Amino acid sequence: QQQVKQSPQSLIVQKGGISIINCAYENTAFDYFPWYQQFPGKGPALLIAIRPDVSEKKEGRFTISFNKSAKQFSLHIMDSQPGDSATYFCAAYTTDSWGKLQFGAGTQVVVTP
Amino acid sequence: KAGVTQTPRYLIKTRGQQVTLSCSPISGHRSVSWYQQTPGQGLQFLFEYFSETQRNKGNFPGRFSGRQFSNSRSEMNVSTLELGDSALYLCASSLDWIGGGYTFGSGTRLTVV
């Protein structure tokens, strides 16, 4: 049973466009929601994270929007660049997880020049 | 500050053999988690160690085991390798298990032939 559902599976966006990736969760005990970026041959790198007491967090061109009542959160990549082409994973965590991040299935983003 | 270091980066093993993978966490990090990443199953949690104790374990057969040393370095072992064990094995570390802010290494690519 997948505890974090991520969509879309893949998306293609033009340079300068906005990439939007959505995630939904069921477990209301989750209290930490990170996004990871992974390039081929590399491990996932923490991109940005949010806790449920905040509805939005922005770091550079990356923004997380969090809707606690809907149990959904999303990643927006503004002014997408070819270097942003990667696989993005959302995840969820609670202290009771004892080190286990619950990952979404991943979204492959391709930014065309 | 050095990141999470995993060795070796690549391994080719034969079915039935066993393998040991190594992970050196970020200095000061005491929680180490291991994940298996495959195209079909995504990122799956193997286990987590803190202060040399395994505190959480994923749904993997007993052929998968691990340990953590007093300096927080960790190893995982897979015995009686099967073709399906071919995957990218990722190690992640954090100061402790509480916050969820895990940093991943680049992984060990294991190919079983």
Side-chain angles (χ1 to χ4, degrees):
Chain A
Q1 182 187 0
Q2 193 173 24
Q3 295 204 32
V4 179
K5 295 184 179 179
Q6 183 172 347
S7 64
Q9 189 174 6
S10 63
L11 70 93
I12 300 173
V13 62
Q14 283 192 328
K15 180 181 175 182
I18 302 174
S19 303
I20 302 174
I21 306 170
N22 300 298
C23 286
Y25 64 96
E26 287 298 324
N27 186 354
T28 56
F30 288 138
D31 58 9
Y32 177 72
F33 301 89
W35 284 89
Y36 285 86
Q37 178 190 56
Q38 186 177 29
F39 294 105
K42 299 290 186 182
L46 180 62
L47 192 60
I48 186 173
I50 199 168
R51 298 201 182 269
D53 54 344
V54 176
S55 61
E56 185 175 283
K57 183 175 181 179
K58 184 176 181 179
E59 289 185 1
R61 296 183 294 108
F62 300 91
T63 300
I64 299 178
S65 296
F66 188 84
N67 186 329
K68 189 174 181 178
S69 60
K71 292 185 286 185
Q72 294 176 348
F73 58 111
S74 61
L75 176 70
H76 294 232
I77 307 174
M78 315 299 287
D79 186 27
S80 296
Q81 300 296 311
D84 297 332
S85 297
T87 301
Y88 294 81
F89 293 93
C90 63
Y93 186 85
T94 176
T95 299
D96 293 344
S97 298
W98 295 96
K100 179 181 180 181
L101 285 157
Q102 295 283 357
F103 282 95
T107 297
Q108 185 171 21
V109 174
V110 175
V111 182
T112 60
Chain B
K1 190 176 184 181
V4 178
T5 303
Q6 291 189 246
T7 56
R9 289 283 283 122
Y10 303 93
L11 265 179
I12 300 176
K13 290 287 187 179
T14 305
R15 272 181 303 174
Q17 287 186 314
Q18 76 165 15
V19 67
T20 299
L21 313 181
S22 179
C23 171
S24 293
I26 291 173
S27 179
H29 284 194
R30 297 168 63 193
S31 174
V32 175
S33 292
W34 288 88
Y35 292 81
Q36 180 196 66
Q37 185 176 28
T38 59
Q41 299 298 318
L43 285 148
Q44 292 188 287
F45 174 80
L46 282 156
F47 26 65
E48 187 266 358
Y49 286 88
F50 182 84
S51 292
E52 302 177 65
T53 302
Q54 183 185 93
R55 289 144 354 115
N56 197 1
K57 190 178 192 305
N59 189 26
F60 279 82
R63 300 185 297 106
F64 292 80
S65 63
R67 59 178 176 169
Q68 186 181 35
F69 302 94
S70 59
N71 62 358
S72 294
R73 191 176 70 85
S74 178
E75 290 181 346
M76 68 163 282
N77 184 79
V78 187
S79 62
T80 319
L81 284 165
E82 301 177 359
L83 294 178
D85 297 332
S86 295
L88 180 66
Y89 289 89
L90 293 160
C91 167
S93 75
S94 182
L95 282 169
D96 54 45
W97 76 96
I98 297 173
Y102 283 85
T103 301
F104 282 81
S106 292
T108 294
R109 171 71 64 184
L110 173 65
T111 302
V112 182
V113 298

